[in-house]
């Protein structure tokens, strides 16, 4: 490889998964410098997104966090990360190979499962409004701001002081945004009056799991209709560049239906549940153009499930004849667009319920990782070595004592 032109090496490396490239850094100093360079990291991500190669599914459940190679479902890998503790670590989004992790609103991180690199977010306290003493509901969003070339995390918290306050005064809230480029949090103060009213009096916010759906440089949630409070569905969007909330229009025919929100091939989509017998999928082909919404397909209730509470499309197959769908947080199925048949995607050793996110193989966050995390690993290894030495000394002492 030493005699191979660097442009050929670069072209070869662009086709490899990130996990392999991490190991290739030891081949030579030029390879090390190439793989760690921001230009190569960006080119590798662009190539992966364009070709759809090395695509994985991230499965998360009560005791499950694994990646599955979409082309080889038997290739299942546990996701080990430094944020893992005794409790349940929440995964609140996936973007360009990174996932958002949270143990609590003040213990969060961005993590790349392909390179095992992590960036811990600075602990940001919750600024409770006056009269509020407990945290009510926490909602997260994670995405890439392509305008400012920055990864951002949105944290929305609704607070409450007591049952009486909930009925009379509503639900005070705060919204804060983390910038990876600046490594800082800041509070969002400008919120349109109409959205302020929705946030303040309607706590059953926004997407079925509280996580924002990323499409067209914005995060989205559905504010579902609620009898006696809100008569129709509303879609809220948060512009990652302007860091402002807006209301997004969609077909009036869906305003009173049971809907959820997702993304398909980068386009925002709505799933309309037809009395739990089928789900219509609508796609917004031109962003923020109400007339561009169109129904693209309808999925019948699978015979293998008792109820059809939730369905979400994830991606088209490479030949575009099928769509991979997630059903009831428990199954992944291929839906044939022509025959309307459903086929279960069977994954090795994954029998429990789970939800799924698409994950690309990327070098985002680099291979060097968070310096503070590297320091913590060194300190942890030093402590483990010290404990091992102490155990060895005790064992030797006991062994010698047994001889006399």
């Amino acid at each position: 490889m030493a005699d191979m032109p660097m442009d050929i090496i670069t072209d070869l490396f662009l086709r490899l998964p990130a996990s392999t490239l991490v190991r290739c850094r030891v081949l030579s100093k030029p390879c090390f410098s190439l793989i760690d360079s921001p230009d190569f990291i960006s080119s590798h991500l662009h190539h992966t997104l364009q070709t759809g190669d090395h695509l994985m599914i991230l499965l998360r459940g009560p005791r499950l966090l694994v990646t599955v190679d979409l082309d080889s479902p038997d290739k299942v890998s546990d996701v080990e990360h430094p944020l893992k503790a005794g409790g349940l670590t929440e995964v609140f989004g996936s973007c360009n190979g990174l996932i958002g992790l949270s143990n609590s609103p003040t213990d969060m991180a961005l993590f790349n499962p392909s390179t095992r690199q992590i960036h811990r977010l600075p602990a940001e306290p919750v600024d409770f409004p006056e009269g509020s003493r407990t945290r009510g509901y926490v909602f997260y969003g994670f995405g890439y701001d392509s305008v400012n070339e920055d990864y951002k995390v949105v944290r929305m918290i609704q607070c409450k002081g007591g049952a009486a306050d909930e009925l009379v005064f509503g639900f005070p809230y705060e919204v804060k945004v983390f910038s990876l480029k600046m490594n800082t949090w800041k509070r969002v103060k400008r919120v349109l009056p109409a959205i302020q009213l929705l946030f303040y009096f309607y706590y059953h916010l926004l997407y079925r799991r509280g996580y924002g759906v990323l499409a067209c440089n914005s995060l989205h949630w559905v504010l579902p209709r609620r009898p006696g409070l809100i008569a129709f569905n509303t879609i809220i969007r948060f512009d990652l560049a302007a860091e402002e909330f807006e209301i997004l229009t969609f077909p009036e025919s869906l305003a009173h239906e049971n809907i959820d929100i997702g993304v398909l091939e980068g386009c925002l989509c709505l799933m309309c549940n037809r009395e739990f017998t089928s789900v219509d999928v609508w796609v917004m082909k031109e962003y923020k153009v109400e007339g561009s919404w169109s129904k693209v397909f309808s999925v019948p209730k699978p015979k293998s499930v008792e109820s059809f509470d939730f369905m979400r499309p994830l991606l088209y197959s490479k030949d575009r004849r099928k769509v991979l769908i997630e059903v009831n947080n428990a199954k992944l199925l291929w839906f044939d667009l022509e025959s309307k048949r459903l086929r279960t995607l069977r994954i090795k050793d994954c029998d429990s319920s789970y939800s799924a996110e698409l994950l690309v193989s990327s070098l985002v966050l680099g291979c060097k990782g968070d310096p503070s995390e590297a320091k913590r690993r060194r300190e942890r290894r030093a402590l483990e070595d010290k404990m091992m030495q102490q155990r060895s000394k005790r064992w030797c002492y006991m062994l010698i004592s047994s001889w006399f």
Side-chain angles (χ1 to χ4, degrees), residues 216 220 237 246-251 268 282-294:
C216 301
H220 306 79
R237 67 179 286 263
E246 292 181 4
I247 294 176
L248 188 70
T249 57
F250 64 100
L268 199 66
W282 293 68
V283 170
M284 192 181 208
K285 296 183 178 179
E286 189 174 349
Y287 192 65
K288 294 181 69 175
V289 177
E290 185 177 359
S292 71
W293 284 101
S294 62

Side-chain angles (χ1 to χ4, degrees), residues 33-86:
S33 299
L34 172 66
I35 294 170
D36 277 7
S37 68
D39 287 343
F40 179 80
I41 291 172
S42 177
S43 297
H44 180 265
L45 175 63
H46 177 75
H47 182 272
T48 302
L49 294 175
Q50 288 292 109
T51 61
D53 293 337
H54 317 305
L55 195 59
M56 297 173 285
I57 305 170
L58 180 75
L59 301 182
R60 58 193 183 194
R63 298 292 175 187
L64 177 76
L65 188 59
V66 299
T67 58
V68 181
D69 190 316
L70 190 57
D71 293 326
S72 305
D74 289 339
K75 190 177 179 181
V76 179
S77 303
D78 289 326
V79 177
E80 298 291 339
H81 56 83
L83 210 66
K84 185 178 289 186

Side-chain angles (χ1 to χ4, degrees), residues 6-32:
M6 207 59 196
D7 56 342
I8 296 179
I9 294 176
T10 301
D11 185 66
L12 172 64
F13 280 2
L14 287 175
R15 303 169 190 271
L16 298 177
S19 56
T20 302
L21 289 171
V22 171
R23 296 193 293 272
C24 288
R25 294 164 77 236
V26 302
L27 293 175
S28 66
K29 287 185 178 180
C31 289
F32 183 96

Side-chain angles (χ1 to χ4, degrees), residues 139 152 202 288:
F139 307 94
K152 293 182 177 179
Y202 191 71
K288 294 181 69 175

Side-chain angles (χ1 to χ4, degrees), residues 44-237:
H44 180 265
L45 175 63
H46 177 75
H47 182 272
T48 302
L49 294 175
Q50 288 292 109
T51 61
D53 293 337
H54 317 305
L55 195 59
M56 297 173 285
I57 305 170
L58 180 75
L59 301 182
R60 58 193 183 194
R63 298 292 175 187
L64 177 76
L65 188 59
V66 299
T67 58
V68 181
D69 190 316
L70 190 57
D71 293 326
S72 305
D74 289 339
K75 190 177 179 181
V76 179
S77 303
D78 289 326
V79 177
E80 298 291 339
H81 56 83
L83 210 66
K84 185 178 289 186
L88 177 65
T89 300
E90 189 175 2
V91 180
F92 59 83
S94 170
C95 176
N96 291 349
L98 300 183
I99 59 176
L101 300 174
S102 171
N103 285 336
S104 74
T106 57
D107 185 13
M108 305 169 67
L110 300 179
F111 180 66
N112 186 327
S114 297
T115 63
R116 306 293 179 182
Q117 299 302 327
I118 190 167
H119 183 93
R120 289 178 180 263
L121 277 57
E124 179 65 18
V126 178
D127 299 325
F128 288 109
E130 186 177 353
S132 298
R133 292 292 178 267
T134 59
R135 186 175 72 240
Y137 299 84
V138 185
F139 307 94
Y140 299 113
F142 168 52
Y144 180 64
D145 173 7
S146 59
V147 175
N148 297 299
E149 298 183 340
D150 194 7
Y151 289 89
K152 293 182 177 179
V153 173
V154 178
R155 187 189 74 181
M156 296 186 287
I157 299 180
Q158 290 174 319
C159 310
K160 51 187 178 180
D165 292 342
E166 294 174 15
L167 295 174
V168 178
F169 301 107
F171 293 80
Y173 65 91
E174 70 161 27
V175 181
K176 290 185 177 180
V177 179
F178 170 78
S179 161
L180 179 61
K181 182 183 288 188
M182 302 300 293
N183 198 36
T184 57
W185 290 89
K186 74 175 182 179
R187 186 163 187 165
V188 176
K189 297 180 179 179
R190 287 187 57 194
V191 180
L192 293 174
I195 296 178
Q196 283 186 13
L197 191 65
L198 291 173
F199 281 4
Y200 198 72
F201 286 100
Y202 191 71
Y203 68 89
H204 201 62
L205 190 82
L206 281 167
Y207 171 51
R208 69 180 181 95
R209 293 170 295 188
Y211 310 137
V213 172
L214 179 65
C216 301
N217 221 65
S218 295
L219 292 165
H220 306 79
W221 295 263
V222 167
L223 188 61
R225 62 189 175 88
R226 192 176 181 192
L229 189 60
I230 295 181
F232 49 85
N233 300 310
T234 306
I235 298 179
I236 305 293
R237 67 179 286 263

Side-chain angles (χ1 to χ4, degrees), residues 304 331-334 342-346:
S304 58
K331 286 179 177 290
L332 290 174
L333 302 99
W334 283 108
L342 291 154
R343 179 174 59 84
T344 301
L345 176 63
R346 302 194 182 280

Side-chain angles (χ1 to χ4, degrees), residues 39 54 75 85 98 115 122 148 196 207 252 279-280 322 327 363 381 386 404:
D39 287 343
H54 317 305
K75 190 177 179 181
L98 300 183
T115 63
N148 297 299
Q196 283 186 13
Y207 171 51
E252 291 185 10
V279 174
D280 297 336
K322 297 175 289 186
V327 176
L363 294 166
R381 282 197 297 267
K386 184 178 180 180
F404 298 97

